[in-house]
Amino acid sequence: MTTIEERLAALEARVTALEGGASEPRDAGEESGVVAYGGHARFGDHRWSWQMARPPGWLVEQPPGPLAAVLAAAGHPARLHLLQLLVRGPLAVSDLQEKLSPASQGQLYHHLKTLGSAGLVEQPERGVYRVPGRAIFPVLALIAAATDVVLPH
């Protein structure tokens, strides 16, 4: 069952998409177009819908520091594996430890802290971690984009 927070995040994303990102400046220069991603996903009892569209000129004007922090956090193989596991739903540290062995518990907490600092995971209760509802599709889009770069067309 989806939580209220996940349902609210999905609803906010849909409203933003319907408004066309009204809070963001429109690209009025030579550059035009849109970079979009979204879709629907279901993992167990959890369902998400997402649609995001951004002007390319606006994207390339964003400050690189916060963006690089997210990409760096996701860019480590163990952390990307954690995201792949957690995007399906919350997991206890013991389950994560089992799936990521032989990583030490200290290494696991280090990776979870890094992902948490970047906003890619949260701890809804003691000893349990998940990807926040607002980050489900961005995480899936990061994985999809990396897959498109790696796999031949």
Side-chain angles (χ1 to χ4, degrees):
M1 173 174 263
T2 44
T3 67
I4 290 173
E5 292 86 10
E6 292 165 340
R7 292 176 62 199
L8 180 59
L11 183 58
E12 288 173 342
R14 292 169 103 180
V15 169
T16 299
L18 288 171
E19 291 175 346
S23 64
E24 296 161 10
R26 295 287 180 210
D27 186 16
E30 283 183 32
E31 301 167 351
S32 65
V34 66
V35 175
Y37 69 95
H40 308 283
R42 178 178 172 201
F43 293 119
D45 292 337
H46 302 282
R47 292 182 175 90
W48 293 271
S49 292
W50 193 273
Q51 182 63 40
M52 188 58 62
R54 307 270 193 211
W58 180 84
L59 286 172
V60 299
E61 292 171 0
Q62 297 309 298
L67 305 177
V70 170
L71 294 173
H76 187 282
R79 292 192 289 266
L80 184 57
H81 190 194
L82 279 167
L83 288 172
Q84 289 172 312
L85 294 169
L86 292 172
V87 78
R88 295 176 172 269
L91 286 172
V93 169
S94 58
D95 294 328
L96 291 170
Q97 184 70 43
E98 182 180 309
K99 293 175 187 292
L100 291 175
S101 65
S104 72
Q105 193 170 33
Q107 289 171 320
L108 175 59
Y109 279 111
H110 169 75
H111 291 312
L112 289 168
K113 183 178 178 180
T114 301
L115 290 168
S117 295
L120 294 169
V121 300
E122 64 185 9
Q123 188 177 10
E125 59 188 82
R126 185 176 172 92
V128 174
Y129 290 84
R130 69 178 178 197
V131 173
R134 64 175 170 66
I136 295 291
F137 266 91
V139 166
L140 290 172
L142 284 173
I143 295 168
T147 301
D148 288 343
V149 170
V150 171
L151 295 179
H153 296 310

